[in-house]
Amino acid sequence: MIVLLALRCSYELNQQNTCFLLTQLTWVDWLMHHNVLLPEHYEWAERLQATDLFGEDAPFVLDNGLVYFSRYHNMELAVAEFVIAGQTRKPAHHWLPAELLDGQSEIVDGLFQSTSSEADKLDEQLNTEIDWQYRAVLNSLSHQFSVITGGPGTGKTTTVIKLLSSLVQYYLEQPTLIQKQIGQFTIKLAAPTGKAALRLTESMLSGIDKLNISDDIRAYIPTEASTIHRLLKSRGRNDFYYNSNNKLPIDVLVLDEASMVDLSLMSKLMSALPSRCQLVLIGDKEQLASVEAGNLLAEICAPLQSLGIERQNALQPVTELKKSYRFDSNGEIGLLAKAVNKGVGKAVEHLLIENCLGTDDANRQRYLESGSVLTWLDPNSHSIKLIVERVVRHQVAILDSISEITESNELNVVKALFKKLYELQVLSCVRQSIYGVEEFNKLVKERLSQLGRVAWQDEHYAGRPILVTENAYHLGLYNGDIGIQIPDPVSDQLVTYFIDGKGDMIKLFNQRLPTHESVYAMTVHKSQGSEFDHTILIMPGDDVGVKLLGRELIYTAITRAKTRFTIFGDKDRTLRAVNNHTVRQSGLSKLLYGL
């Protein structure tokens, strides 16, 4: 029975689950085929806990009927203890006024009034709709641990800037003696990947410029985000310079794209935070969970599902931003995202059929030239070559623009090329498949070669977009960064350009590049934290099991689109994926809320 437990624990970890129900052992088919006799169910827990393999300093733990490897149980306990302690510490810092706990703050009121346009103010007077950004700021000021969750375009970054502005203003209003006791008030921004950190840096820079914030307050608000590994100073092998015995010297940490953080990394991050530090998690609880075990953000946000609007609009540590400023709630992309998120297959089917591209040449030509806001390409009627042609036309436009680059206009042209590149991005659910990333990238290069725009045998060539697949801190590049290969305007040597979060240009010889690949298409997982004008999702064919696909994957792909979205995939397989809601087994919500 112990062998079976070990096998099952290993299997569940491979499925991104941290534990499993003890009674699930009866689901192992080969037990019956090999006549393996087990004790009666009611004896299992007692017999297991009587062995030396369960309990303190043992390899396994049995808790509330759930079986864990001890390491993962300890991680869940550590995260739960941190979250519970942070939710009960009110307000977020001892020097903040108690009036916050009553939902009152002149500083927050003034900040929202000063950053609202006249149209917004008039709208507020005519509309009694709840301002969820305002509620999120108050809630986060009132708790040492808080979460701000919301879909794309709901203003998460804007809310963070207003939260940090409020915190800094409260700090600056403290008497000199209190400020000396507090010491240097340090705020840090972090994200799980280099790409997400870059995106947060860009959002913070543009967001601060849009808001009316004084220079004194700006001086305290960071605009550059780092990866978690860089913040903690990774020493390799999952070991960090900052840890439970050597705490980070910070007062506030804002962690973006929190849904991507796995249990192990989150527990290490929390253990490295000093007792005074406020932690604010930002992310979309409906997006894809972490690649490794755990589904932390969704579990921490679990109570929202059972709370009515009135209760959500009260003092609590978790706030969901509900109004999207990117998607019209009645627009086709917004409707599709909502239908997929809720698993409403009939609504998804209606939107697909209503926006199905016709098979005549005129419709295909129109799609190649511009396309509608929402388009469904039925693989029974359209070939993948239609999407290849769409991407090739986009790539040819980039190639034509490269000739404009000179030494004097280098930065401006490179920025324009990146802007053009981000107008279109193909996403695939998997890497290896007839409709996977690797095959699509090959098809695009093959077509460009047929047109005489690239040499098939060349690894590096002008116009090639690349995706960095490892962190290279010494180069200022991170896993997920995108570059374009362009001839240097002075030497004419082919180099790779990147634009960092501050808008500065990075130029590298191709020999110095870290591990990378072409990125005419990328996986949905790699796209998290990014957005593109037109996003095309290629669903897998019959060679990929539908069980590997879920609504979270499709929702994440849809919400990468800013203005247009195309889905290429069989309708029935797509609908089965929409009905497949990913549920990971964990005991965290039980520890936090008794759920």
Side-chain angles (χ1 to χ4, degrees):
M1 190 169 181
I2 296 297
V3 174
L4 293 178
L5 285 171
L7 287 171
R8 187 74 192 208
C9 280
S10 297
Y11 170 80
E12 295 297 341
L13 281 178
N14 286 332
Q15 302 301 309
Q16 292 81 44
N17 300 316
T18 61
C19 57
F20 71 94
L21 284 166
L22 182 57
T23 53
Q24 285 179 301
L25 275 182
T26 58
W27 297 353
V28 183
D29 292 337
W30 58 266
L31 283 177
M32 307 300 296
H33 294 303
H34 292 79
N35 296 317
V36 178
L37 298 177
L38 296 178
E40 295 295 330
H41 288 183
Y42 62 85
E43 296 180 10
W44 288 6
E46 184 178 348
R47 287 203 183 192
L48 290 171
Q49 290 180 319
T51 70
D52 294 336
L53 297 174
F54 280 78
E56 192 173 348
D57 299 324
F60 299 102
V61 170
L62 179 61
D63 186 6
N64 289 316
L66 297 170
V67 181
Y68 298 80
F69 281 128
S70 292
R71 186 163 70 94
Y72 285 88
H73 184 256
N74 291 337
M75 290 176 191
E76 279 195 359
L77 281 177
V79 169
E81 288 172 1
F82 182 97
V83 171
I84 291 170
Q87 288 179 344
T88 53
R89 290 187 186 128
K90 307 174 186 178
H93 301 273
H94 68 86
W95 39 267
L96 289 173
E99 67 178 15
L100 287 169
L101 304 183
D102 297 323
Q104 299 176 11
S105 171
E106 291 185 5
I107 285 178
V108 177
D109 290 346
L111 186 63
F112 272 80
Q113 289 172 3
S114 66
T115 56
S116 297
S117 66
E118 291 303 318
D120 290 336
K121 292 174 182 176
L122 178 61
D123 187 55
E124 289 170 9
Q125 294 172 6
L126 300 175
N127 193 349
T128 57
E129 182 180 332
I130 296 168
D131 187 339
W132 293 106
Q133 293 186 12
Y134 177 84
R135 169 48 61 190
V137 171
L138 284 178
N139 284 346
S140 292
L141 287 170
S142 302
H143 298 87
Q144 195 176 55
F145 172 85
S146 62
V147 176
I148 300 174
T149 184
T154 51
K156 294 187 289 292
T157 304
T158 300
T159 305
V160 166
I161 294 171
K162 291 180 179 181
L163 166 63
L164 297 181
S165 299
S166 302
L167 271 172
V168 171
Q169 190 168 340
Y170 274 119
Y171 169 75
L172 293 175
E173 290 185 357
Q174 299 301 312
T176 304
L177 181 62
I178 299 297
Q179 286 193 21
K180 286 183 178 180
Q181 290 174 349
I182 298 169
Q184 179 65 41
F185 189 57
T186 304
I187 302 169
K188 292 288 185 182
L189 306 173
T193 66
K195 190 173 186 179
L198 179 67
R199 176 66 185 150
L200 178 58
T201 298
E202 293 170 347
S203 299
M204 290 293 292
L205 283 167
S206 62
I208 287 175
D209 288 340
K210 292 176 183 177
L211 298 178
N212 184 23
I213 299 172
S214 69
D215 291 341
D216 289 344
I217 292 175
R218 279 181 181 231
Y220 284 86
I221 299 177
T223 54
E224 187 169 356
S226 71
T227 63
I228 299 174
H229 283 79
R230 195 169 191 183
L231 177 71
L232 297 178
K233 294 188 177 179
S234 175
R235 297 192 288 200
R237 296 186 178 182
N238 213 21
D239 182 37
F240 298 95
Y241 175 77
Y242 290 110
N243 51 51
S244 57
N245 297 315
N246 183 32
K247 305 285 189 178
L248 279 161
I250 61 176
D251 299 281
V252 180
L253 175 63
V254 176
L255 177 61
D256 196 20
E257 297 292 349
S259 65
M260 300 170 65
V261 185
D262 61 72
L263 176 63
S264 175
L265 187 56
M266 185 67 83
S267 65
K268 288 185 178 294
L269 175 64
M270 289 177 170
S271 70
L273 298 179
S275 58
R276 70 178 184 277
C277 183
Q278 177 184 5
L279 176 61
V280 184
L281 302 185
I282 311 295
D284 185 349
K285 63 182 176 63
E286 307 296 347
Q287 274 193 31
L288 284 166
S290 58
V291 175
E292 301 297 330
N295 193 9
L296 294 177
L297 187 65
E299 291 196 81
I300 293 171
C301 295
L304 289 175
Q305 298 177 3
S306 58
L307 295 179
I309 294 297
E310 186 176 341
R311 181 66 187 88
Q312 289 186 43
N313 189 30
L315 188 69
Q316 60 166 333
V318 180
T319 312
E320 181 176 10
L321 306 181
K322 303 181 186 299
K323 181 179 179 180
S324 176
Y325 297 89
R326 183 192 302 177
F327 298 138
D328 178 356
S329 60
N330 294 315
E332 290 168 318
I333 296 179
L335 287 172
L336 182 63
K338 188 182 297 183
V340 168
N341 184 26
K342 300 297 181 184
V344 185
K346 287 185 177 180
V348 174
E349 183 176 20
H350 172 76
L351 285 164
L352 291 180
I353 293 172
E354 195 175 61
N355 293 278
C356 182
L357 184 70
T359 57
D360 57 284
D361 290 342
N363 272 300
R364 288 176 176 168
Q365 187 64 31
R366 189 158 47 248
Y367 178 75
L368 288 172
E369 293 175 355
S370 58
S372 304
V373 172
L374 178 62
T375 304
W376 171 42
L377 299 178
D378 185 348
N380 297 310
S381 305
H382 298 282
S383 166
I384 190 70
K385 291 182 180 179
L386 181 63
I387 298 176
V388 171
E389 193 63 31
R390 181 74 181 83
V391 172
V392 166
R393 288 192 179 198
H394 178 246
Q395 190 63 23
V396 166
I398 292 173
L399 284 166
D400 291 341
S401 300
I402 286 176
S403 60
E404 300 172 7
I405 192 169
T406 64
E407 185 178 3
S408 60
N409 69 9
E410 183 180 23
L411 179 59
N412 288 335
V413 171
V414 168
K415 283 185 175 181
L417 287 170
F418 272 96
K419 184 179 180 182
K420 182 68 177 177
L421 181 67
Y422 294 145
E423 287 178 3
L424 177 68
Q425 182 62 55
V426 173
L427 307 180
S428 177
C429 301
V430 293
R431 287 190 57 80
Q432 296 176 332
S433 161
I434 57 171
Y435 296 141
V437 167
E438 293 177 4
E439 181 65 20
F440 188 85
N441 284 335
K442 189 172 79 172
L443 289 172
V444 173
K445 185 181 179 184
E446 189 176 79
R447 181 62 180 142
L448 286 169
S449 177
Q450 290 171 354
L451 294 173
R453 303 306 297 253
V454 305
W456 175 254
Q457 70 275 11
D458 289 348
E459 178 186 0
H460 304 288
Y461 49 88
R464 179 192 180 210
I466 70 161
L467 178 74
V468 175
T469 56
E470 67 175 357
N471 291 327
Y473 297 114
H474 64 293
L475 297 174
L477 297 178
Y478 307 98
N479 186 355
D481 284 352
I482 291 178
I484 307 178
Q485 297 189 330
I486 303 169
D488 182 275
V490 177
S491 67
D492 202 38
Q493 182 173 354
L494 190 68
V495 295
T496 303
Y497 287 81
F498 299 87
I499 299 294
D500 67 16
K502 295 181 178 179
D504 296 328
M505 185 174 65
I506 299 173
K507 182 165 56 174
L508 289 176
F509 291 116
N510 295 330
Q511 295 86 344
R512 296 191 65 202
L513 287 172
T515 306
H516 62 280
E517 62 189 23
S518 297
V519 68
Y520 300 114
M522 68 171 72
T523 62
V524 178
H525 280 87
K526 284 288 188 183
S527 74
Q528 286 183 275
S530 301
E531 57 186 29
F532 311 96
D533 291 347
H534 182 185
T535 301
I536 301 174
L537 173 63
I538 302 176
M539 296 293 290
D542 295 335
D543 58 333
V544 175
V546 75
K547 288 184 178 180
L548 297 176
L549 310 175
R551 71 178 65 151
E552 294 82 5
L553 194 75
I554 299 175
Y555 171 81
T556 301
I558 295 169
T559 54
R560 299 310 92 208
K562 293 167 66 175
T563 57
R564 281 183 289 165
F565 180 73
T566 297
I567 182 167
F568 174 90
D570 178 77
K571 176 166 65 69
D572 291 338
R573 286 175 60 81
T574 301
L575 293 177
R576 285 202 297 274
V578 168
N579 290 326
N580 182 18
H581 178 43
T582 304
V583 178
R584 293 187 177 179
Q585 286 202 113
S586 163
L588 184 59
S589 58
K590 181 81 171 177
L591 291 169
L592 289 173
Y593 311 113
L595 300 176

